[in-house]
Amino acid sequence: MDKFRIIGGLPLKGRVSISGAKISALPCMAAAVLTPETVTLHNLPYVRDIITQRRLLEDIGATVLTPELRTHKIAAAHIELFEAPYELVKTMRASVLALGPLLARFGKAKVSLPGGCAIGTRPIDLHLAGFEKLGAEVRLEAGNVVARAPKDGRLRGGEVHFGKVTVTGTENLMMAATLAWGRTTLYNAAREPEIADLAELLNKMGARVRGAGSSTIQIEGVAALGGAEHTIIPDRIETGTFIIAGAITRGELEIKDCRPEHSAALIAKLRDAGVELQELNPSTLSVVGNLKLTASDVTTEPHPGFPTDMQAQYMALMTQAGGQSTIIETVFENRFMHTSELQRMGARIHSDGSRATVQGVTKLTGAPVIASDLRASASLVLAGLVAEGETIIDRVYHIDRGYEKIEAKLRAVGANIERIRESVTAPLSQTAEPAAIV
Ligand code: EPZ
């Protein structure tokens, strides 16, 4: 398994460009299954999860052309398989996003039930209860979810009240409802920017979705959807990760091709902690890391609250802030796996259940550490950038799932980071890098 070697202590300086959002690209790719016509998606991030989603689409019978690295032309004209197998789902939970489109267009779907993961049990009960509200019959069979629409093969519009805000649950039901009879209303829906991005694509395909981005979404079902062309929004979590990279190294970064408005809660919190952040224009931020960072408590929440996907990176920053900060994780029940690895680097953190307290300023020292999940690995990279000496991060395949060439982007702004390859012959599906764009 590839590793990163980082020599810390260098302030980052320069410009970095943000890639497309993985957590918008995945549902937008799944949405192509709703129509036999071609859906063209631009600004796709070149990361492992996109490759897995492409494989899923090709396995069920879609064709995916790549006129250029970050553009896919997806045509689901001849779907022969209505299932997402365990082999794929176990590598990427987001494969469950195939359920809604397959069920809506073909009246049947079989998707392996995703197990838990490092950050929590992550059930999909709210997805399944929602499909039942739209008239589907849903049962579990040998580890698979098997869903069927009523006899005429078409779902029925209905009212879905989510007991808890769920991002992929909202996306699955929104896609399923586009081809149902009549109107569907989703209550307590997720409000993440990626939901509005998916709705924009669906409406370009001829759907009638209103209210995406708010907690109540209405969808008028239509008989069929057509093709469309769409550019994926920038990745707000990658943006946040680079803001913290600039701040924690006391550097100066210009972050381009981002969308500051999608990170309002994070930006406000970082300003509270003393990070100098300026919006140069609607797609560019500048960050200047000050010597004096101040501890500031945070609680993660669904959007527009502080994103759980930035919690680990924020914890790394708080090790360099004066005073004690309390971090409360409310979205996932087991999202402090990075704490023990940061402690190995000398961080003073105490965690108990969903609450962690961080004592700063602490001098971190390089050490061998292990990444446990996507965002935990990002926090270890950030800690390694400020630590004295050498940090070796193992299992960086986690970070490859959601960050495009993070080590090349960091090196281009002055970081001393390199990838230690498992073996020179391994292809990208394991490690390789696309042509340089920084
Ligand atoms: C999405 O996961 C993102 N993944 C996650 O990003 C992100 O952390 C999460 O939303 C929250 O923002 C993708 O979009 C592919 P949820 P999702 O359903 O949709 C519980 C990353 O780092 N729940 O909003 O799976 C669940 O257990 C990843 O990029 C149920 O109980 O998250 C959790 O506690 C990690 N039943 C909470 O709701 C359900 O049916 C929120 O989960 C569904 C969810």
Side-chain angles (χ1 to χ4, degrees), residues 354-417:
S354 62
R355 175 187 286 264
T357 51
V358 183
Q359 200 60 50
V361 175
T362 307
K363 193 161 136 343
L364 299 182
T365 46
V369 291
I370 300 179
S372 54
D373 61 81
L374 171 57
R375 307 305 171 183
S377 41
S379 82
L380 299 179
V381 168
L382 295 170
L385 291 173
V386 73
E388 191 176 289
E390 178 185 88
T391 297
I392 302 285
I393 305 176
D394 200 347
R395 301 188 186 167
V396 294
Y397 61 81
H398 285 294
I399 213 166
D400 291 335
R401 293 191 47 200
Y403 288 90
E404 180 172 336
K405 315 190 310 88
I406 191 166
E407 77 271 26
K409 289 190 180 185
L410 285 169
R411 248 197 327 268
V413 289
N416 183 340
I417 177 171

Side-chain angles (χ1 to χ4, degrees), residues 105-128:
R105 180 163 162 221
F106 301 101
K108 58 186 173 184
K110 181 174 159 186
V111 169
S112 170
L113 190 67
C117 82
I119 65 177
T121 52
R122 304 184 73 179
I124 59 166
D125 55 319
L126 300 172
H127 300 227
L128 305 183

Side-chain angles (χ1 to χ4, degrees), residues 262-343:
H262 290 165
S263 301
L266 173 71
I267 290 171
K269 178 50 60 180
L270 291 173
R271 284 185 171 140
D272 284 354
V275 179
E276 251 183 69
L277 267 165
Q278 259 194 310
E279 199 175 311
L280 302 181
N281 59 49
S283 66
T284 311
L285 274 168
S286 86
V287 50
V288 177
N290 288 331
L291 286 176
K292 214 156 172 6
L293 290 173
T294 315
S296 186
D297 299 346
V298 76
T299 298
T300 66
E301 292 169 289
H303 192 87
F306 187 94
T308 173
D309 294 345
M310 282 304 303
Q311 178 256 98
Q313 300 93 313
Y314 185 77
M315 184 182 281
L317 183 71
M318 284 300 103
T319 66
Q320 301 307 301
Q324 176 168 306
S325 55
T326 299
I327 298 176
I328 299 175
E329 173 59 56
T330 69
V331 179
F332 291 106
E333 68 273 22
N334 186 36
R335 202 165 203 180
F336 283 145
M337 301 283 281
H338 41 282
T339 304
S340 51
E341 298 306 302
L342 291 171
Q343 285 164 341

Side-chain angles (χ1 to χ4, degrees), residues 229-245:
E229 188 154 359
H230 185 66
T231 300
I232 301 291
I233 55 173
D235 192 320
R236 62 193 164 92
I237 306 300
E238 186 191 19
T239 304
T241 304
F242 274 97
I243 294 174
I244 292 185

